Amino acid sequence: QVHLVESGGGSVQTGEAHRLSCAVTGHTTNNLCMAWFRQASGKEREGVATISRFNSATYRDSVEGRFIASVDRAENTLYLQMNELNAADTGIYWCAARIGDCINDWLNPQWYKFWGQGIQVTVSS
């Protein structure tokens, strides 16, 4: 069973950088497609980034060039480096995983079987 635990949430100022972590236990990240999702108040959950077991990352347009997803295979940990944060980045963030390859429809949360508990990120001016 894949178990995911996020950490690093909190409050930051507009324009600052922040990093989220997602510790993975119960399965090696070498065989996981992993992703970050988020949900702002009153909005639907949306995919932020996905990273394949081959370290190929894909981002939603609004974070492209600002966010970087990475995996430390030795630590079995997924990261999301978030730069130039703005109020639209506020929300609950989840890491998610599916065993095997990523798929083209990576923005759809239904394809990920394993989820962390979620962590709040608040960006204020």
Side-chain angles (χ1 to χ4, degrees), residues 4-125:
L4 310 175
V5 178
E6 300 98 340
S7 61
S11 296
V12 296
Q13 298 292 310
T14 298
E16 290 185 343
H18 199 68
R19 190 176 78 165
L20 301 180
S21 302
C22 173
V24 181
T25 57
H27 199 90
T28 174
T29 58
N30 291 331
N31 193 33
L32 293 177
C33 169
M34 304 200 68
W36 288 97
F37 283 78
R38 69 184 181 188
Q39 186 172 17
S41 179
K43 295 187 176 181
E44 294 186 353
R45 189 176 302 193
E46 62 181 22
V48 176
T50 188
I51 183 165
S52 75
R53 56 198 181 103
F54 305 110
N55 290 327
S56 176
T58 306
Y59 304 90
R60 71 178 301 106
D61 289 346
S62 62
V63 307
E64 180 78 53
R66 298 190 298 123
F67 288 14
I68 301 172
S70 62
V71 180
D72 185 325
R73 305 293 177 183
E75 295 294 327
N76 231 36
T77 300
L78 169 72
Y79 296 101
L80 183 67
Q81 176 66 41
M82 304 182 292
N83 302 316
E84 300 176 33
L85 285 161
N86 58 62
D89 298 315
T90 294
I92 299 172
Y93 282 72
W94 292 267
C95 60
R98 57 179 276 123
I99 295 175
D101 293 328
C102 293
I103 59 174
N104 290 335
D105 191 23
W106 70 271
L107 289 167
N108 192 331
Q110 73 171 325
W111 300 119
Y112 300 87
K113 182 176 181 180
F114 307 102
W115 291 81
Q117 80 282 3
I119 196 164
Q120 178 70 41
V121 174
T122 302
V123 184
S124 57
S125 57

